[in-house]
Amino acid sequence: MTASASPSLRWGILGPGGIAHAFTRDIRLAGRDVVAVGSRDREKAAAFAEQYAIPRVHGSYEDLVADPEVDILYIATPHPFHHAQALLALNAGKHVLVEKPFTLTAAEAAEVRDVAAERGLLAMEAMWTRYLPHMARIREIIAAGTLGEVRAVMADHTQLLPSDPTHRLNALELGGGALLDLGVYPVSFAWDILGEPISIAASGRLGETGADTEVATIMVHPSGAVSTSLSASRASGPNVAHIIGTEGRIDIDRVWYNATSFRVIGPDGTVIEEYRSEISGRGMQFQALAAEAYIADGTLDSALLPIDETVAIMETLDEIRGLIGVRYPSEEED
């Protein structure tokens, strides 16, 4: 069954923050059914519900996951809370689509995966970039051999974000740092194109709170291909990506992890193909449609980002953090 042909599930929004607004707008554009929203701040949840005409409002996450009208929850809170909230939802019998990074650590991700499997439910990472149409076309081009042997992948995710040490992005106790907020995109992209890295090198700069502000990685993958990434929270860069092969390359335009355009370019500079995204909304609906399809067909796992790969990517992020010297307070307690 294709995503678009799947019956609509009843969605609940756990955490009505900024990204939840984008997600809700997009899945409403796709005709999906958002029936409930929950927050520890009932007034915030009520304002969100009023904006999107959501009929059910809950002033606690416990009440939201217990709502019998909800089939699947989109978890959109800051990532240190994903683990506990995903387990809360799964143990209440709800499927979960969890914002990236999926959890704070690989150990947490593995526990969510295992509970989902025990309960017969979908637990899926909301790495929405993988589900965008331009990424689907890129995978087709690579599979067709148009690029020849893929030798390298390069991508950056660099933004000028708040430097206030009390801001979530800079607070270690809240999982702050450029790597988990931004670097997860290019690291996951390298995995998607080249597979699991067999070696990882990383360097970074830490801010005044100990959270990482810039991180650069070099990874070698099973074919021998290399990938490089740069994530930064104190400066805005090009936010483009490149896939380089022996017979051609793909240049993905700014902002590469959003719905955008790309060109396939031959070794002599000839443009072989040009692709321009034409979608409604930001594009966050494609991951939701895929989640509904995986539930409808009983696979209960993503074909584009299996839960085992999500856990393994978290292991990669754990290793990168170790190389640059970032450790969260919650890890000290383990």
Side-chain angles (χ1 to χ4, degrees):
M1 177 181 290
T2 63
S4 60
S6 302
S8 179
L9 297 179
R10 298 170 298 179
W11 287 84
I13 306 298
L14 193 155
I19 200 162
H21 284 269
F23 178 82
T24 302
R25 284 193 295 267
D26 279 357
I27 67 170
R28 277 283 175 79
L29 282 174
R32 301 344 249 183
D33 197 12
V34 184
V35 300
V37 57
S39 172
R40 290 174 296 183
D41 183 338
R42 186 178 177 85
E43 290 185 5
K44 187 176 181 180
F48 189 93
E50 182 177 3
Q51 183 173 351
Y52 298 104
I54 297 171
R56 305 167 75 83
V57 178
H58 298 285
S60 74
Y61 301 134
E62 291 78 9
D63 287 347
L64 174 63
V65 303
D67 189 332
E69 298 299 314
V70 173
D71 300 312
I72 182 169
L73 287 164
Y74 172 62
I75 297 178
T77 51
H79 38 275
F81 308 115
H82 292 174
H83 169 252
Q85 292 164 349
L87 293 180
L88 182 70
L90 291 167
N91 285 320
K94 311 300 186 187
H95 304 284
V96 292
L97 176 64
V98 184
E99 258 308 320
K100 78 271 156 256
F102 190 69
T103 52
L104 201 60
T105 67
E108 290 182 351
E111 186 177 3
V112 173
R113 173 197 61 195
D114 294 346
V115 170
E118 291 167 5
R119 297 280 179 169
L121 296 165
L122 175 78
M124 179 174 138
E125 182 181 1
M127 178 51 73
W128 63 292
T129 300
R130 288 218 185 180
Y131 301 87
L132 291 172
H134 77 289
M135 287 296 176
R137 179 59 189 145
I138 285 169
R139 285 189 287 267
E140 290 173 351
I141 291 166
I142 293 171
T146 304
L147 303 186
E149 179 191 354
V150 176
R151 304 282 294 183
V153 168
M154 301 180 291
D156 81 301
H157 190 173
T158 48
Q159 296 190 36
L160 180 59
L161 299 175
S163 59
D164 179 353
T166 65
H167 192 282
R168 175 190 70 79
L169 291 164
N170 304 306
L172 275 181
E173 67 274 15
L174 294 178
L179 180 66
L180 289 199
D181 264 278
L182 308 178
V184 62
Y185 282 89
V187 169
S188 184
F189 178 58
W191 264 81
D192 188 18
I193 303 302
L194 299 175
E196 181 175 4
I198 58 176
S199 72
I200 301 170
S203 295
R205 180 193 300 187
L206 307 186
E208 57 272 26
T209 65
D212 49 290
T213 56
E214 290 86 22
V215 182
T217 69
I218 302 174
M219 301 191 294
V220 180
H221 299 262
S223 67
V226 298
S227 66
T228 63
S229 76
L230 173 64
S231 55
S233 60
R234 299 290 176 87
S236 180
N239 290 304
V240 297
H242 306 276
I243 304 168
I244 301 171
T246 54
E247 300 298 325
R249 73 176 193 268
I250 297 175
D251 292 343
I252 312 176
D253 294 328
R254 176 180 178 90
V255 174
W256 68 267
Y257 48 85
N258 287 347
T260 189
S261 54
F262 69 79
R263 286 163 308 289
V264 184
I265 301 173
D268 62 355
T270 302
V271 176
I272 300 170
E273 177 179 335
E274 186 162 3
Y275 181 98
R276 294 187 180 278
S277 293
E278 295 181 1
I279 66 168
S280 298
R282 190 181 183 198
M284 301 192 79
Q285 66 270 33
F286 296 102
Q287 61 183 346
L289 295 173
E292 292 194 359
Y294 302 138
I295 293 166
D297 67 19
T299 57
L300 299 177
D301 198 9
S302 171
L304 294 181
L305 181 51
I307 189 63
D308 285 343
E309 186 171 331
T310 285
V311 174
I313 289 171
M314 289 307 309
E315 291 173 349
T316 296
L317 296 172
D318 284 355
E319 184 171 348
I320 294 169
R321 283 196 300 109
L323 291 169
I324 64 175
V326 173
R327 188 171 174 85
Y328 301 122
S330 61
E331 295 177 285
E332 305 292 348
E333 298 167 4
D334 293 340

